[in-house]
Amino acid sequence: MPVPVLEIDAAQVWRGQTHVLHGIDLTVGEGEIVALIGANGAGKTTVLMTISGLLRPRDGAVRYRPHGGDPVDLARLAPEAIVGLGIAHCPEGRQVFASLSVRENLLIGAYLRRDRVAVAADLDRVVARFPILGERARLPAGSLSGGEQMMLAIGRALMSRPRLLLLDEPSLGLAPQIVETIFDILGDINRAGTTLLLVEQNAAMALELAHRAYVMETGRVTLSGAAADLADNPEVRRAYLGAADETMAGR
Amino acid sequence: MSDYLLQQLANGLILGSMYALVAIGFSMIYGIVRLINFAHGDIAMIGAFTALAALMAADLPIIVVVLAVLLVGAAVGLAIEAVAFRPLRGAPQVNGFITSLAVSVLIQNTGILVLTAEPRSVAFPAFLSQPIAGLPITVDLVDVLIVVLAIVLMAALGAIVNRTRLGMAMRATAENLDVARLMGINVNRAIMAAFAIGSALAGMAGLMWGARYGQIDPMMGFLPGLKAFVAAVIGGVGSIPGAMLGGYLLGLAEVLFVGLLPPEYAGFRDAFVFGTLILVLLVLPNGLLGRAAEDRA
């Protein structure tokens, strides 16, 4: 496995009064696409929120290795500091700023960056990747369609120049063709050097795109391994890929 | 148009300028923390007394007095945010409403304790009360300055909110606090900026009130503050342009009500203001420029 960028070690996370993550271990290597699959309520979103700092683990560690630096414990940092270290979180349900213009949404992704010239160049790059965002630059983001908002949410996250991009359900509520397009783009982003941690209910798409994957059930990792192996695993096929249970079918 | 009507329109514009400045703060603060700061009108009172102190004690030039009032207003707003609002972030809305009511009562009563409830006259430099010559209506220089200064301040506010990095951060925080944090925005700073700016404008309205009506007292912020809140709700609370519009509409409506109806109805002006609120909300529950209601826990 490549050099780890992120290591979660026995994280115990609570949301309010609810104990959601019961000791999660998870590693993401440099340049990888790692998928996190599992049913609704398994705690996948909570994992991402713990990495980006919106939630803090009560116990356990979340270690991140910035470029050429010493590991940092993210559990001690606020979200506004974590994004500055190169981790962008593209939240569930897109959550673009509806009243801000498309262009402002992209610029706000680069909020912490002071290098105006490089930000302008990245803005051009994002618009080249998603031409529709250039055409709609002055419109309020709330006027975009669901797929366009997803592109804007990804573009906004890219504007921080992330080394690690966290994606929460990018396929949610989108037409299958749009999902194909989005996943193609995620592959491109990864090939251009960004590490991805992808939370998905659409396990088939996620396992096809990812190098490795983790399967979560009720706050624990129950299976992990190469994405291709998991896609062949009978348990995974039955529970998450909608394959007919062969033993049942044989009877 | 008759001179009488013209005079009423001018008076309404002046009153509306002050309502608008106070209403903006209600809307900015509501927009970002989803709470009404009921002590907001009392910041106007503090602004008026700051002007009085600056004029009496130091005899400062008027421009310095204006800057001092803006600074003191901002400082009071920041203090209220730190003491009464920040500890309650994430608590149910009702707690914030009650706390800000308590802050309002506290400010008023401290004012009575320290300054007595006796109204005091504010002696602004004499040149301010010179009538503008050559007009068919009575308008003093101070009235013109009130309207012009209000417009300048609102234009400056619009530039900050729509054209600066801080303004973008404030708008993003108002819309979605958690996602704003994911962008790297220090949301505490954005919230503090909203309190500081809104409160500075309220302080300024207090100075204007003193300059126009000549008398101030520790309770003076209560009723105009409540009316400015009505103006913000009429405009659509959370919307800054709505607060401006609501402020001017309410100022004009109130003055025209008193000026055009027989004098025996003049005593009902406050009832009229709140009646207008009920009527507007019956037709437009979100106010004139407000968005559909939302609830953020």
Side-chain angles (χ1 to χ4, degrees):
Chain A
M1 197 173 66
V3 193
V5 182
L6 182 85
E7 286 172 294
I8 302 181
D9 195 1
Q12 303 276 348
V13 181
W14 295 62
R15 290 178 85 162
Q17 302 297 311
T18 318
H19 193 176
V20 181
L21 300 185
H22 303 262
I24 289 280
D25 297 307
L26 184 147
T27 308
V28 180
E30 175 88 64
E32 277 192 311
I33 301 179
V34 174
L36 199 50
I37 61 176
N40 240 340
K44 308 186 297 293
T45 294
T46 304
V47 171
L48 296 192
M49 290 172 83
T50 305
I51 299 169
S52 65
L54 289 175
L55 294 172
R56 280 178 190 215
R58 280 207 191 166
D59 199 17
V62 184
R63 274 186 301 274
Y64 171 69
R65 263 171 238 271
H67 260 307
D70 294 327
V72 185
D73 187 3
L74 299 181
R76 297 167 179 282
L77 297 176
E80 49 270 35
I82 290 173
V83 63
L85 293 173
I87 300 179
H89 181 170
C90 192
E92 185 175 1
R94 306 179 279 274
Q95 305 205 37
V96 296
F97 297 107
S99 67
L100 273 62
S101 73
V102 168
R103 188 184 141 83
E104 283 178 325
N105 268 277
L106 291 174
L107 287 175
I108 215 160
Y111 185 76
L112 289 177
R113 294 173 58 191
R114 297 295 188 163
D115 42 345
R116 280 169 172 247
V117 180
V119 169
D122 283 353
L123 189 66
D124 291 342
R125 213 163 298 147
V126 168
V127 168
R129 202 189 283 280
F130 304 106
I132 191 76
L133 300 183
E135 290 165 32
R136 305 254 197 275
R138 293 185 173 281
L139 296 179
S143 70
L144 300 184
S145 71
E148 290 163 357
Q149 287 191 13
M150 190 63 232
M151 294 177 192
L152 179 55
I154 294 173
R156 180 178 70 178
L158 289 177
M159 286 299 292
S160 67
R161 281 220 175 159
R163 183 163 172 238
L164 171 62
L165 176 55
L166 314 174
L167 292 144
D168 200 345
E169 305 270 7
S171 75
L172 191 75
L174 300 181
Q177 275 169 307
I178 313 235
V179 174
E180 293 273 356
T181 313
I182 299 276
F183 272 69
D184 285 349
I185 289 166
L186 294 181
D188 289 345
I189 290 170
N190 174 251
R191 277 186 290 280
T194 307
T195 305
L196 304 184
L197 176 57
L198 172 69
V199 159
E200 255 304 340
Q201 294 237 30
N202 187 337
M205 293 285 298
L207 292 177
E208 201 182 308
L209 179 71
H211 304 117
R212 288 191 309 116
Y214 291 81
V215 179
M216 280 184 73
E217 264 171 58
T218 56
R220 293 182 177 82
V221 171
T222 51
L223 278 171
S224 66
D229 294 346
L230 286 177
D232 288 336
N233 179 310
E235 276 287 302
V236 174
R237 288 175 63 83
R238 189 177 46 78
Y240 303 108
L241 298 177
D245 190 323
E246 282 153 25
T247 53
M248 292 290 283
R251 278 179 201 172
Chain B
M1 206 187 304
S2 75
D3 290 354
Y4 180 75
L5 185 60
L6 209 58
Q7 179 74 55
Q8 300 305 324
L9 288 176
N11 293 347
L13 201 62
I14 296 158
L15 184 63
S17 298
M18 296 185 274
Y19 284 161
L21 286 179
V22 181
I24 288 169
F26 274 115
S27 255
M28 285 183 82
I29 290 166
Y30 179 84
I32 207 156
V33 294
R34 300 296 188 275
L35 285 174
I36 294 299
N37 176 18
F38 284 111
H40 193 63
D42 301 303
I43 299 173
M45 180 273 287
I46 293 176
F49 276 96
T50 304
L52 176 73
L55 286 165
M56 274 190 4
D59 198 19
L60 297 167
I62 191 75
I63 182 77
V64 179
V65 175
V66 166
L67 289 176
V69 166
L70 288 172
L71 280 178
V72 170
V76 173
L78 287 175
I80 292 177
E81 194 274 330
V83 174
F85 282 82
R86 194 173 309 179
L88 292 178
R89 211 173 289 161
Q93 275 187 328
V94 171
N95 300 17
F97 290 139
I98 292 176
T99 305
S100 75
L101 268 177
V103 172
S104 169
V105 173
L106 191 71
I107 291 176
Q108 288 171 17
N109 284 280
T110 308
I112 292 173
L113 200 66
V114 176
L115 305 159
T116 77
E118 202 72 23
R120 290 155 194 255
S121 25
V122 207
F124 275 86
F127 76 91
L128 284 175
S129 38
Q130 274 184 13
I132 307 287
L135 290 180
I137 56 175
T138 317
V139 177
D140 295 348
L141 179 60
V142 66
D143 301 330
V144 177
L145 288 179
I146 286 173
V147 174
V148 171
L149 187 58
I151 290 170
V152 169
L153 288 172
M154 286 186 238
L157 173 71
I160 290 174
V161 170
N162 293 316
R163 309 221 175 277
T164 67
R165 191 166 170 270
L166 173 67
M168 194 163 75
M170 284 164 59
R171 283 182 288 141
T173 305
E175 197 174 313
N176 191 331
L177 191 116
D178 275 344
V179 178
R181 299 185 77 191
L182 291 180
M183 301 296 121
I185 293 168
N186 183 331
V187 292
N188 272 333
R189 226 177 280 163
I191 291 171
M192 285 164 72
F195 271 88
I197 295 171
S199 305
L201 296 179
M204 199 56 230
L207 175 150
M208 292 171 170
W209 198 272
R212 173 150 168 89
Y213 300 111
Q215 285 211 320
I216 61 177
D217 68 84
M219 305 294 288
M220 65 176 273
F222 179 69
L223 194 58
L226 211 53
K227 287 186 190 167
F229 170 56
V230 169
V233 175
I234 286 177
V237 70
S239 154
I240 294 175
M244 297 176 185
L245 181 66
Y248 281 105
L249 287 180
L250 195 68
L252 282 167
E254 186 179 329
V255 166
L256 291 177
F257 174 78
V258 178
L260 298 183
L261 289 181
E264 57 265 33
Y265 291 106
F268 294 109
R269 71 192 281 169
D270 298 337
F272 171 73
V273 166
F274 295 105
T276 309
L277 172 71
I278 293 172
L279 277 182
V280 169
L281 293 185
L282 280 176
V283 184
L284 295 165
N286 300 310
L288 297 170
L289 303 181
R291 273 169 222 281
E294 54 177 317
D295 222 358
R296 193 176 71 182

